[in-house]
Every structure is written in structure tokens, then in C-alpha cells.
Amino acid sequence: MNRIETQRRAALAAAALLLAAAAVACSDALSVERPGQITDGQVGGGGLTDALVAGAEGEFHVAFNWVANSGAAASDEAIFTHGWTPWEEYDRRTLTPASPAWDGIGYPWMQRARVTGVRNAQKLVEGKASGVAVAHALNYAGFSTLLLADYLCEVPLNGGPKLPRAQVYDSAIALFNQALPLAGADAEMTNLANLGIARAYLNKNDLAHAIEYAKKVPAGFEAWVRFQDSNNFDDWVQKYNLFYRTSGFISPSEFSLALDPAEWATKRDLRVPFNTDVQQRMFTSNPYPRLGYIPFVPSSFKGWPVQDTITGGADIRFASGLEARYIIAEASLYGGTGGWSGAQVLAFINERRAVGGFGPYAGADLKGELREQRKMDLFFAGYRVPDLIRYKQFHGIDEWPKGKMGGYPADAPYTYGSTECWPVAQSEINTNPNF
Amino acid sequence: MGTKTVGSLACAVLALCAAAPPAAGQGRVARVAAQVQHARMPASPAWAAVEGVGQPFGGTVTLALDGVPLEAALLEVARQAQLRLTYSREALPPQLRVSAHATAIRASDAFALVLQGTGLAALSTSPSRVTIVRRAPAPEPAPREPEVAVVSDPPPAPAPPPFPARAAEVRADAATGFAPAVVLAGTIHGTVTEAGSGRPLNGALVAIAGSQRTAVTGAGGEYTLTGVPAGRHLLRASMIGHRTAELTVEVADGAVAAASFQLATAAVQLDRLVVTGTAGATERRAIGNAVTTIDAAEITDRVVNNTVTELLQAKAPGVTILQSSGSPGTASNIRIRGVGSLAASSEPVIYVDGVRVQSNAGGSFRNNWQTPQPGQLAGGGQTASALDAINPDDIESVEVIKGPAASTLYGADAANGVIQIITKKGRPGSQALQWNARLQGGRTDWGLDTRTSFTTCDAARISQPTEWPGCQGVAPGTVLRENFLDGALRTGQLRNLALSVRGGGEGYSFFGALDSDREQGVFPNSEEKRAGARANFAFYPSHTVDFAVNLSYAQTRTAFPSTDNGPNVLEAAWTYQPGRAPQPGQTYGYNGGTPDQYDRYDNSLRGDRVTLGTTLNYRPFPWFRNRLTVGGDISARQANRYVPPGGIFAPTVGQMTQGTPRNNLYTVDYAGTVEGTLPLTSLSSAFSFGAQYNHTEYRNTVAQGTGFPTDLVSNVTSATVRQSWDEFLEVKNLGMFVQEQVGWKDRLFVTGAVRMDNSSIFGDNIDHLFYPKLALSYVLSEEPFLQHVGWLDNLKLRAAWGQAGNAPDPFAKLTTYSLVQVVDPVSGEVVSATRLTTLGNPDVKPERGSELELGLDAGLLGNRLGVEFTWYDKTTHNALMSVPLSPSEAGIAGGAQFRNLGEINNRGVELALTGSPVQTRLLSWDARLGVSTNHNRLVRFGYDQEPIVFGVTTLNQRHVEGYPLAGYWVHDPVLDPATHDYVASEARYLGPSTPTREAALANTFTILGNLRLFTLFDYKGGYYLLNMTDWRRCAAGLCEAVNDPGVSAERRAQLMAGLGANDALYTQRADHAKFRDASLTYTFPRRLSRRFGTDRLAFTLAGHNLGYLWKPDYTGLDPEVTFNGINQPGEDGQAFGWTRMDYWTVPMTRRITASVDVSF
């Protein structure tokens, strides 16, 4: 081999070496910064415990806001007419899988809350967070699951097939049961888990278990969904303050109590106050506007009993010892073992009536009166729809509004539709291979 | 031929190439030969056995050489014998001159004659190629016979004369003891003109064969080469679009020799060098794919192209410029051979002098109705183009590498094509400085109908005197008409100042330029300004090394008026009804604000951009070339968007948003090429390899203040509510390639290559990706059986297949969380919370573009007619699809994940005809016709996906399998018998939303060599555009169609129905032909320009966007516009970026300029 050939081969070898060196250097040379994003691996690496917990809570707040509003609209607790959101389908109970206000808004938010709670709990475990922190995420995952079970007829979880409601309650109970031992001495998390289990059992009509767990919740326990008042579009995107916009609290003119004014005119329950001087014309774009009263802050909202219009930042009590007592009372009346006697239930009813400004109950329909008191105490806090479902499904009591819709002029053609639970949204149907 | 012999031949060729410059000495010829042998050659008897040496070949040659450099003599022999010559310049004795006289001898004999005594021999390696190789070492080289070789041995000069006084050269080699030899020198001066027309050719390269002495002709076609060693030289003149010509010139000491060239036009130049990504350029003959070269310098000499995008417009078949708006500074979409992606970018990558530069649009805030939001890119309105920072006057040429078949070597994001911008350079060699200056002024105006609005005064209006004062006193049915826009428009001013200088010296060259441009739009707050400087230096310290530094700086400012789907004066003027009372506080009819109010809107982008590129070329051996390019493109900008308080803009309380986007893009690019012959064969080989590294960084900090009590202040600090956010993006790519190009007889070339890429944006499960390429080029016209076809000068058949990538979104692989704020349920305090933002795909990878192209290049009729034809079929495999995930699984509203599932196809043909039908001194006519087609089709989504339906106001566009992406699916108005309203029919397919056919015809007429008329017509067709502006006008009852008494009530109702029901009436065929450019240039005769002390003095009157030749169906003003500017498909992960419609968008404005060009 002559010198030239040697040189040529040397050059080629050098080139090959250069390329090989470049290939070896590849991994280091291609590392990049992502200062604006936290990656999946980083999130599970510890150090974000509080943020993960807050994330699980925040997503639940968003989802809760939606069901509280949409449930209120469907059960005639309230009327919403915000211009951006087609509330009429909830109001008239004509919801379909593709209804824009369900498919594009409510359903994904509810699923997101559940998925986030579970995912964040896993990330907290990966990050070796404290048991209480994990219990936080699991509890909010559990309550998010309860929302799905409470409002939907059938629910797909984690991209799977539709599950009957009872199985979804079981899924929620499992999450709470995982949370309980982790909560340790943390009373708030323990109470939240017990109440969640009690609510799930009640809605499954497992009355004994409902009573068992409800009894573990102290009467003074309260858990709140928090919101911040703002009229800034950017702000509510940033701060989960979705309640402000989606509920339609742009102005009092976009929110009203739903029942027929003639009926509401007779109600003077202090727990559900309203402005008796003004009746709003709702759905003004229609030829037949609906009439309603402007509500003041109800007893399930922060700020009660101050008689003022509700703001977008009003916190809502979503779980409480009061609810636990209602669970015990209802389960006891319907035969649940280990609960209260009739006298205890009556005493409870009278206690609640007093809060509403009424005297002791003198009638014989304790169950009916208990439903009425529960309706007022838990007004506009997301309870009404699952209550109506439970009453009808397990007790044969159908309190869903029917026939001609109240508040409309006599010649208005509107009657209530048949929606009694929210369908699986079209976006899930389109994307879930099990559908 | 035995193995050893063949190997020896290869070694001989390579060894020759590797020969070092010889030392000098006494008895020059003999010493030169001896030095070469000693330094480079092993004494091996094999050299004497080189097969083929001494065998006769070639045609007859007549020699009359006296004192000609050896290289020039060899080239002269080759030229006469019509042979291509392969040799190493370094191996030739550099100072050897030969004299030879012979008549009608064989070429082989002629080579032997001039090579006598050099130790070199001519070997015929193919019927058309001769290679100079080394003979066996001669024990004692004999002095050459005086009649054959003249060895001048001039007496040493007492002292070196000052360089370049009399241009004497002094060379000494102390190591050898060779006495300094002084070569007496003279000057060569002459002109280069176009054969036939006699037109002076500006920018032609004149080079002395075998040296680095070059000169570039000035505007008058003149050149001067100084310091030329006395003796006979072979001069070579070349220029794009012309045949290379050679002349032998005798230079006497201290004298000026004249040498003028006439270059015939050449439609096809197979020997032209093009950039392919390897080290050094490659001859076009060897390339199997189409490469379009745009002679930018010539174009800018004829018309005023304010931007690089305009420079590209209608110049290269297959390159589609989708303009968006006529407002200065607004970006256009560049599409090469169609759109190949649904969810990733479709823009080509752009290099300037080998350095990758930022070319994407953006930086500015969109002028839409939306308040700028963190990370918000989508939305209506125009935005700026990064390409506008490049001064078109600085560009020498542009090479367009069109698709994966050609762009494989450029790697993982080159599937959309590559645009190589080559800026002007100086020329080495002692020569006079060439100054060029251009002063230009002009105007920009609307140039089109400003649209008349109509009102029919019916009984109802007549009965409302307060609301309809204009309808009072007229008969029912009277139609009022008025134009409200005229008063809002202005005639913008345009000026351009450009100064450049070009020069060079021994071992260096330079080009410098300054420019200042300003163009005002038709609205007072519409403007683009650019001031820039460029300095390109090149150094040639030796034959083996050269080094270039290219530095440019540009300062830009672009102001965007509020148009498109933001509050704007077009809407205000075009939706106001004649006869109606003005709005409160107004004296004239505007439906909204007044022009003054809209003019207070300030949406501007200021930019400072520096691009620095350094390129080192190192040729340690003649067979080994290396190129290393290191560069950076750094852009710092400030974007402002000020919405004054007062009610016509949102938010009504006023808002200022300020951003500071910064893009840094760094390039390191190495490539090497080893040339030789393949073992055991006589096939030539060029083995190339290389590696590229790109690093892109984007940073932006945005501050926003909302709420001003007055427009006296407009800063963020003074706002009532303030917020800020920042953005960051970083991408790194590393790629390597190897390529082997094998040539047979210099007319058949097979190229195979493979590129390997890795990138920070690849999914974590993707380590490397490979992209292969295979190309074939066959110069059929050089086959003996076609030599006798007189009308056929060149014919090259080519075929290429290759693959390249198209990168996904940088975050497509990542599952990411952002931090938001939430109220803690226990404490009530605002705390940070994680929120899932994206669901990444660890398997995501670039889309894979795969392309087959077949074509031919032909020069006919004396190479006066050129034909370039290409058929291509490009398929994007693994097309990125934004696959929606089920909410119950993803946990994100509308959650989606990018997956490589789809397939998209683009097919079409490209034809370029170049001709010079008339070439006389009285009149010359050069013409170029480009035609291209593109048929785009979404082959498959690759997953269970219904057609994606989208649109603004009406859902009339769709992505449907089997149809073009974003095709129009329109609804006809159907009467609902129940409501008597017009409702939408079922959607029907109408056609594509981007052009499928394009043509451009450029003509240059030169009269008497001094007067030149240039015209450019272009056509786009085969597509549709939603004319929503007209729908708004008709729905409001003020377009002509609904006020025409001859129009039936039914038709009127259809026209006025909702757009969702009648979009078929407003989605109109957009085919059109435009008179794009015209210019008239008068170049003063030299004797007159000399009187002004200039080499060239020319005046040009030019026009741009001069009008429509044909627009049969589109009722709007301009079917080229679209309201959402350069929204990239996939930019928002959804369909908005694909939405195309004309909605309060400024049409392409007319530009008339006058300029004076001076060269001195």
C-alpha cells in the first residue's frame, strides 16, 4: 500500500471516527431545557407534594362546580341563561350525548377530576409523599368518582367499558378505603373518607353500611369547595375559578331560582333566601322568557345568612357532618340497621326546620319532610339530582319536575324532558374503543 | 487489466491529485519534474505501466501556443478536441509555460506535446474525458526543446516592486535555495456581452485558468484583471444561463491586453455547480433530482423585490407562495410540492450560506379580536415573517431542493424541501473595486376597486327619515350607491437605498452592502422598514485552504394595521349602508369606528438580527475535500400591541401587550468528500460523509397591561391590571450521513446515501432514524448514437428516490404538567397546583416523506431552448395525527396525543421551458415559462376518525380520506317549507383550498442593447376560496347582487341567508392570472455613463401587482389572501390553521417605483 493510499485510508478512518464520536456524544448533545413544563418523571420525583394535592383538589372543584350548576338547572333549583352556554338543555332536561354544554364542558371536567385524583395519588406514592398527602388525592379522586356515579347512568372509567352505577360507587368506596389507613390521625381526611363511603353506600341503597360510616363523621365536620371571585377571563383559567363563568354569575339577571314564582312566593325558608321584589326574565332570546326570583346566598354557601346576591367567589360546602346526619336519618327511616329511632329522626327534622325558620313538624310523612329539609339544607350544593335518582330508584318516589315547565307564560310550549341522568358524552363514545 | 494495474491507476490518479506545489529551481522544467517525483511519488515501475498512456485518442487539434501556462495549454487542447479534462492543478508545474505549434494533429499527440518533459501523461478514461496522470519517473529529465517549451528564467529583481505595482510577483523558496523568480505582469481588460443581443452582462465571472485570479464584470459588462503574469493565458468567462467561453490572451509586461467575450445563452447547463449538502458543489449532470436555481441577482436587477418571499414568487415550478395579505411585512406560506403534513409544519427549511436560519413566521401579535394569551399562536390576523430581514439585493442565487428525494442529506426536518440562499461574494484576484448603488422611490396604493355599497330605498326606509335620511325624497326602489373606503386609504411611500462594493485581492475577497428600505402600506399604521448591512469575506491562504466569514445585520420594524378578523376599517367602511344616518359623533358612514380611531391601533414588531457564518474549506489532498461551517442566527425582537381605550377594540378599556421574542439558531456542519476510482473498475467515485448539529432556542417574555383611562399613556406599567408570562423552547438535532456517487464515463451517475438522525424532540423510545436515498443521472446526449442529432445539445435523464423527515412538535413526546393556582380548601389561601397539560407519546417520531421523481433536462436548438420536466410522487408516511383520547382515559378536555399513523400523498408535474427565441442586436427576447401541478390527497388517517370538519362561521372545510387536505365541502341553500327559511343542504365536495395548478411566464425584451422590458405573468388555479367578506356585505343587504332589481327575491333570500346555509354561494373558484411584474430599464450607453463618471447608469420604472388578467369567478378583490395569515397547520393542534377565507383582508397592493442604478 503506497503512501497516498495510506493517507486516503487514514482520512476515511478519521472521518469514521469523527462520525462515531458524534454518535456517542449524541445523548448529551441533545439534552434540552423545559423550564416551562414539568415532565411526567419530574412530577413523580417528589418535591411537588403540595402542588399534586392541590391539583387533585382543584380539579374536583372544577367538576363540582359543573354538577352543582347543571344539577341545579335540571332539578329546578335554579335557572341559568349565560349567553355562552346552552343551559336550556339542562333546564328542560333534554340532554343528549352531544349536547355542547355536556360533551364539551361538563363531562370531560368530571372525568378529568377523577383521573387527576388517581394519577396524582400515584405520583405522590412514587415521590414517597406522606400518607396524609396521598389520602388527600385519593379522597378527592373518590369524591370525583362519586360525582360521576351520582350523575351518570353508566360510567366508563380509564377508557374502559361502561360500568353500571353501582360498580362506580364501589370504585369510589375502594378509593376511600385506600385513603383511610393513610389518613392516620388526620381528622379531616378521615372524616372525608368516611362521609364519602357513607354517601356511596346510601346511593347504592346499602343502608346499614351507610349508617355505619356516617356515624363516624362528627356533626361539626365541613369540607368546602373554594372559589375566587373574579371577572377576569384569564384569571379563572389560571385559578380554577370556573364557577364564576360557567355558573353564569355575570350578573344577577342571568341566574334565578327555578320554580314557578307562584310556588316560590309561598316559601320563606331562611336557608334559601331570595329577592322577593324582583323577578327575572330568563331565556330572553326566546319568545317565551321564563320568570324567576333572584336568589341570595343559600345556607350551603359561604356567607349565609347575609342576604345578598351570590358572587362568583362564593365557596360551597360539599361535604359535612350535616350530610352525615341526613344519611343516618334517611337510612334509618328506610330500614337501615344501627341507625336512629323515629324520634331521633323527628328531632333532627325539627332541628333543621328551626334553622329554616319553621316550627316543629306536625305531620305524619316523616320521609317526605326529611326530603324537604334535605332539599333546603343542601340547596344548590350538587345533591338534588342524585337525591331524585335515589328516591325514584330505590323508594319509588318520583320528584322529578314533570309536565309543563313552571315560570313560563301559559302559552309557552315547554315541557320537561326525560333526562334523569347524564349520558356518556359523545367525545367518549367517539374515542373509547369499548363503545 | 489486472488488479494491480487497476489499483495502480487509481493510485496514480490519486497520487497526482495529492502532489504538492513544487519547489522552484534552476533549469525550471527539469527541476519541477524532479521535485514532484521526489516529494510525492514512490519510485515504482508500476507508473510506467499505466495502461492506456500513449494510446492515440481524440480528434484533431491545431496548436499555436507561445509561452502559455501549461494548464492553459492543456485546456486549449481539450477544448479543441471537445474533451473533458480531469487533472490536479497542484500537480502541474505552476510556472511552466509551453510553446507548441502544430496543425491538425491528434489530441493525444497534442497532449503529449505540451506535457513533454513534465513527467505527466494524458490518459483517455472515456470517449469524452481525459485524465492527466503521472508517467514513470524519468531518471534525468531532459530540458525541453526550445521550440516546444520555453523556460523563462528572468534575472532576479533587485527589490520586489510594491504590490501590485506592475503586478509583479515574487516567489522564493529558501528551503530549496531557488532564487526568487520575478514574473513580469500586465493587465487584461475587456467586456462580457451576450451573444446576439450585445447586452452587457453584469456579474459574469472571468477567470484565468489555473489560477485564483478572477474578476466579475460590472454593470457595463466590463472587467479588469491586473497583475497577470506576462505570457499567454487561457481566460474563461461564465455566467448563469450562458455558455462558458474561453479565450487565449497574450499579456505583455506592463501592457494592457484586451479580451472580450460574447456569451451565448444556454438554456441547460449540465456543468453548473449546485449545492447538495456534501462538501463542495456538485455538477448538475451528476444529480438525479431536480434542483431549481433562481438567479436572484438578475431578478433584483429587473424588478423590485422587497422581500425574499417575493423573490421566490413565480420563479420555481413547484414552489407555491401563498400570500396572505397585501399589508407590508406580512408573512406568506411557502409550500414546495404541496402540503405533506396534517399536524406538523409544511414549511421548508432555509439556509443562508450554509447556516440554517430562522424562517418561520411569528414574533408579532396577531391583529385579531383576541387578547394575547400565554402560548396562543392560533387565530386570525397577519403576522411577521423572519425572512423579511434578509435583503434580496444581497442574494446571488437561490437553490430550491424540492422534496425528500433531494433533501435526504438534510435530515429529519427537510421533507418539506430546502431553500439554500447564497449571498453575493467578492472575487479573489487583484482587481478594481466595484461599487453599485441604487436609489429607488415609489408608491404603494390600493390598486383595485374600493368596492361600492348599495342601499335600496324601500317604503320602510323612506318612512324612517331619522335613520335613513338618504332615502328621503326618492322613489321607492331607488338604489343608492356610495363608496366609503376611499377616504380611509392613503398612497404609501416607498424608498430603497442600497450600496454595495465588491472586490478582492491576492488571497482574499470581500463583498459589502448597506441597505435601507421603507414601504408604507395603504393605512397610516401599516409600514415595513429594514436597514441592514452585510460583510462577506473570503480568504485563500493557499490552494488547500479557504475560509469565509459572512456577517449580516438587519434592523426591521413592521407595523400591522388592524384588519382581517379584528375590528378594522375595511369592515367599518364596507358594511355601512348608503343613505343611513351616520353613527353618533360621526359625520360619515362607518359601521364602527372611524379611520382615525383604527389608526390609533399599534401592532408592531421591531427586530435586530445578526447572522454570522464561517466556513472553512480544506483540501489536504486533491482527492479529499472538507468543509466545516459554524454559524449562528440570532434574532431579538420586541413586539407591541396597543389597543386604545374607547370602545371599538377589545378590551374596550385599552390594553398594551409587549413581548420580547428571541430566537437563537446555531449550526455546526461538517462534510467531507473523498474522490477516486473504485477498485477493479474505471468508475469514478465520490464518497461523502458528514455530520450536522442544529440548536434552536426560543425565549419570550410577555407583559400585558389592561385598562387605561386615556390613550395618553400606553405602557404596561400604567395599566390598571397587569400580568406577564414567559415562553421557552429548545430543540437540538444531530444528523450524520454517508453518500457514495459512482460515475461511469462522466455521463452515468448513481448516487446512494443514507442519513441518520436523532433529535431532542424524538420520543424517548426512538434512538435513531435512518433516511435512505438513491438517484440516477444519465447524460444521454453524450452517447455516441446521439452525437449526430443536431438539434439536441443536452439531454439528461434523471430519477431519484429518497426519504426525509418532518419533525413533530417539540413537546409531542412529553407528558407535561403546568403549575396553576387554586384555592386551598382548608386554608382558603391561593396555592400552586399541578395540572396535566399534554399527554406525550414516547414513540413519536418525525413524519417520513418518501418521494420518487423522474425527469429530464434538455437543451435544444443550439441550447437556446431548455426543457426541464419532472414528475414526482411524494408520500408522507407516519403522518402525525392528533388522535383524540377518551376523556375517561386522558383526563384532559379534548385531550389528544400525536401519533404517527397517517398517510398523505402529493403528486404532480413540473415543467420549465427556457428560451431565447430572438437574439439580435436590434431585439433580443428571453422567455421562461414554468408550469406545475399538485394533487394533494389525504390517503388515510390511520385510525378510526370521522372526517374532520372545521371552519369559521361556517363548517365548510374538511379533512376527508381520499380528498385534498382542507378541501371545501359546501352547503347549498335549501328552502325549508316549514319555516320558509333557507337552510343548509347536505355538504358536497367542491374542491381544494390551495392552488393545484400554477404557471408563470417571464419575458425579457432587450431593444438595441439599452432598453429592456421585463414582464411577469402568473397564474394560480384549481382551487377555491371562501369569500366571507362578500357574504357579510350581502347578508347585510349592501352588496350589489342583493340590490339589483333584476335579481329574483328567491335569489336575494339565498344570498342573504346565514353562511352556514349558503356557503356554496360564497366559496368561489379562485382561479386567476395576474400581471405580477413589469419593468422598463434604460441603460445609458457607455460613452454617456462615462460622462457622469460611472461605469453604468440605468433608470428603471417598475410595477408590482399591476392587475388581473383573468379572474372569472371570484367576486372578492383578491383570491390570494387569507384572513389568518401564516397559521401553520398543526400550530394549534387543530384545524384553525387550515382555515382559508377572505375576511377583511388587505388585497395585494400595487407598487410603482422608479429607480436609478449606478455602478462605478
Side-chain angles (χ1 to χ4, degrees), chain A residues 132-268:
Chain A
V132 175
V134 180
H136 262 90
L138 288 170
N139 273 339
Y140 280 91
F143 272 92
S144 299
T145 308
L146 284 182
L147 295 183
L148 288 163
D150 284 348
Y151 282 80
L152 274 71
C153 317
E154 299 169 300
V155 187
L157 299 180
N158 305 321
K162 287 185 287 191
L163 299 176
R165 173 178 281 147
Q167 284 190 31
V168 183
Y169 281 124
D170 288 341
S171 175
I173 290 168
L175 290 167
F176 291 127
N177 277 326
Q178 287 180 295
L180 275 172
L182 296 170
D186 188 293
E188 185 194 356
M189 286 302 105
T190 302
N191 293 335
L192 205 54
N194 284 326
L195 181 66
I197 295 171
R199 187 191 291 180
Y201 279 128
L202 179 70
N203 288 339
K204 284 183 68 180
N205 205 33
D206 185 343
L207 302 178
H209 278 106
I211 291 169
E212 176 192 346
Y213 282 91
K215 278 188 165 180
K216 297 179 180 179
V217 181
F221 169 68
E222 288 184 337
W224 293 83
V225 171
R226 305 286 191 181
F227 298 102
Q228 264 204 331
D229 200 3
S230 173
N231 61 357
N232 186 315
F233 181 87
D234 303 330
D235 202 34
W236 71 253
V237 170
Q238 295 287 313
K239 297 182 179 177
Y240 285 178
N241 191 25
L242 300 170
F243 186 75
Y244 186 90
R245 279 281 177 175
T246 57
S247 63
F249 287 113
I250 300 300
S251 71
S253 66
E254 294 177 330
F255 174 52
S256 169
L257 294 179
L259 294 184
D260 190 316
E263 178 186 346
W264 275 98
T266 66
K267 288 184 183 294
R268 288 293 183 268

Side-chain angles (χ1 to χ4, degrees), chain A residues 33 38 59 112 119 226 428, chain B residues 730 817 825 836 888 891:
Chain A
E33 292 182 54
I38 304 168
E59 298 290 1
R112 178 177 192 141
R119 181 185 282 135
R226 305 286 191 181
E428 182 78 33
Chain B
E730 188 177 28
Y817 298 77
L836 186 66
S888 69

Side-chain angles (χ1 to χ4, degrees), chain B residues 732-811:
Chain B
K732 294 177 180 177
N733 300 313
L734 178 64
M736 286 160 271
F737 72 88
V738 290
Q739 173 177 292
E740 171 66 19
Q741 184 174 85
V742 177
W744 177 70
K745 293 186 175 180
D746 203 38
R747 57 177 179 262
L748 178 63
F749 299 89
V750 178
T751 304
V754 64
R755 161 110 184 185
M756 183 188 78
D757 270 280
N758 198 358
S759 169
S760 61
I761 62 178
F762 289 6
D764 290 339
N765 297 340
I766 307 297
D767 286 334
H768 304 96
L769 294 174
F770 291 92
Y771 299 102
K773 168 187 176 178
L774 190 62
L776 175 72
S777 172
Y778 184 23
V779 184
L780 192 61
S781 56
E782 293 183 1
E783 288 292 352
F785 60 86
L786 278 179
Q787 296 285 350
H788 64 281
V789 181
W791 52 268
L792 181 64
D793 300 278
N794 295 308
L795 176 61
K796 185 184 93 170
L797 305 179
R798 49 185 159 77
W801 172 86
Q803 295 186 332
N806 190 32
D809 180 274
F811 293 121

Side-chain angles (χ1 to χ4, degrees), chain A residues 88 92 281-290 408 414:
Chain A
E88 286 170 288
R92 294 174 191 155
R281 290 163 60 87
M282 314 302 288
F283 302 124
T284 52
S285 60
N286 287 347
Y288 305 102
R290 197 177 185 188
Y408 281 109
Y414 304 121

Side-chain angles (χ1 to χ4, degrees), chain B residues 105 240 246 374 387 474 605 636 646 671 674 710 733 787 886 947 1023 1108 1137:
Chain B
I105 63 174
I240 296 174
E246 294 175 344
L387 288 178
V474 302
L605 180 70
V674 175
T710 170
N733 300 313
Q787 296 285 350
S886 69
Y1023 75 113
Y1108 283 98

Side-chain angles (χ1 to χ4, degrees), chain B residues 26 113 115 162 175 196 256 304-305 308 325 463 540 594 696 709 789 860 891 911 987 1002 1070 1077:
Chain B
Q26 294 175 344
L113 192 59
L115 291 171
V256 177
V304 180
N305 287 126
V308 170
S325 166
S463 68
Y540 308 87
T594 62
T696 303
V789 181
L860 311 170
L911 173 67
D1077 283 304

Side-chain angles (χ1 to χ4, degrees), chain B residues 825-846:
Chain B
V826 177
S827 67
E829 299 293 321
V830 174
V831 296
S832 290
T834 59
R835 190 169 217 203
L836 186 66
T837 309
T838 60
L839 277 169
N841 177 5
D843 295 314
V844 75
K845 56 191 175 186

